[in-house]
């Protein structure tokens, strides 16, 4: 390992810590939360899944449909079947740990933001080296548009994070030819589609890289 490469991991850790600081800004200000639009739907959908699990979950499709009908009658903010499921399903573990609160949602937002930053760093490092990857990741986490999306639970950041991780796994498979990395790549691609259907536009890119 060269002397320069010894700085690779500490610099990555510093960048991710910097991303945490940026992503955590305004946590105590509830006015910074996007209460209207799609974010409110995602939050409420996550509450529905949480309550569905707590209530014992229905054992049949008919029971599930009945439960959803009664729940929707009380909380018409649901958008089940309209918005992609992954962003709000991933809220459920945070609701269980931190309670149904904005704080738990913000922890989930931050996790997606960090995963996207790590994914970008990994892809850039595989293609151009760790120095370029470090600068690219710094520019990414400080971009106002990216940061704004990283502080809101919408479908864009989960999709972007999973697309970047998918590409990182694919590049790693092309280099090592280890089958488990190809399986992990395929699973991550499927998850990215459940995060936002626009991830399908990356499929031709994957085939080109794989070829």
């Amino acid at each position: 390992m060269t002397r320069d490469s010894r700085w690779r991991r500490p610099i990555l850790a510093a960048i991710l810590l910097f991303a945490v600081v940026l992503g955590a800004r305004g946590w105590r200000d509830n006015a910074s939360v996007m209460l209207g639009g799609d974010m409110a739907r995602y939050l409420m959908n996550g509450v529905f899944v949480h309550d569905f699990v707590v209530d014992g979950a229905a054992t049949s499709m008919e029971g599930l449909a009945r439960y959803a009908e009664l729940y929707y009658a009380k909380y018409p903010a649901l958008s089940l079947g309209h918005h992609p499921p992954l962003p709000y399903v991933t809220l459920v573990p945070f609701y269980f740990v931190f309670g149904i609160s904005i704080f738990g949602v913000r922890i989930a937002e931050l996790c997606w933001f960090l995963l996207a930053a790590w994914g970008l760093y990994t892809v850039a490092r595989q293609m151009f080296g760790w120095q370029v990857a470090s600068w690219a990741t710094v520019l990414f986490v400080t971009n106002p548009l990216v940061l704004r999306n990283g502080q809101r639970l919408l479908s864009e950041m989960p999709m972007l994070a999973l697309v970047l991780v998918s590409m990182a796994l694919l590049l790693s498979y092309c280099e090592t030819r280890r089958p488990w990395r190809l399986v992990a790549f395929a699973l991550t691609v499927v998850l990215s589609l459940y995060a936002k259907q626009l991830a399908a536009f990356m499929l031709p890119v994957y085939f080109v890289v794989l070829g």
Side-chain angles (χ1 to χ4, degrees), residues 128-152:
F128 307 110
W130 72 270
Q131 294 95 335
V132 173
S134 299
W135 283 111
T137 308
V138 169
L139 293 174
F140 176 79
V141 301
T142 56
N143 183 287
L145 180 60
V146 173
L147 186 57
R148 191 178 306 115
N149 279 281
Q151 293 176 324
R152 296 174 177 174

Side-chain angles (χ1 to χ4, degrees), residues 54-113:
V54 170
D55 291 342
T59 57
S60 65
M61 290 302 298
E62 182 179 354
L64 172 59
R66 182 59 179 166
Y67 183 90
E69 288 174 358
L70 294 175
Y71 203 96
Y72 185 84
K74 293 189 295 183
Y75 307 105
L78 294 178
S79 61
L80 301 171
H82 175 69
H83 287 107
L86 188 67
Y88 62 79
V89 170
T90 54
L91 285 178
V92 177
F94 296 93
Y95 282 156
F96 275 109
V97 174
F98 301 104
I100 298 176
S101 62
I102 296 299
F103 180 77
V105 173
R106 284 173 165 165
I107 296 294
E109 295 167 354
L110 184 59
C111 289
W112 284 119
F113 183 48

Side-chain angles (χ1 to χ4, degrees), residues 19-88:
V20 170
V21 173
L22 292 177
R25 289 189 308 170
W27 274 17
R28 295 184 179 181
D29 182 13
N30 287 333
S32 65
V33 179
M34 183 181 176
L35 296 178
D38 290 345
M39 183 170 173
R41 307 290 183 178
Y42 283 119
L43 269 59
M44 197 61 217
N45 289 348
V47 175
F48 166 82
V49 177
H50 170 275
D51 291 349
F52 179 76
V53 174
V54 170
D55 291 342
T59 57
S60 65
M61 290 302 298
E62 182 179 354
L64 172 59
R66 182 59 179 166
Y67 183 90
E69 288 174 358
L70 294 175
Y71 203 96
Y72 185 84
K74 293 189 295 183
Y75 307 105
L78 294 178
S79 61
L80 301 171
H82 175 69
H83 287 107
L86 188 67
Y88 62 79

Side-chain angles (χ1 to χ4, degrees), residues 140-171:
F140 176 79
V141 301
T142 56
N143 183 287
L145 180 60
V146 173
L147 186 57
R148 191 178 306 115
N149 279 281
Q151 293 176 324
R152 296 174 177 174
L153 189 78
L154 299 170
S155 58
E156 285 78 10
M157 189 56 65
M159 180 198 70
L160 179 60
L162 292 170
V163 163
L164 289 169
V165 173
S166 297
M167 182 59 73
L169 288 169
L170 180 57
L171 292 173

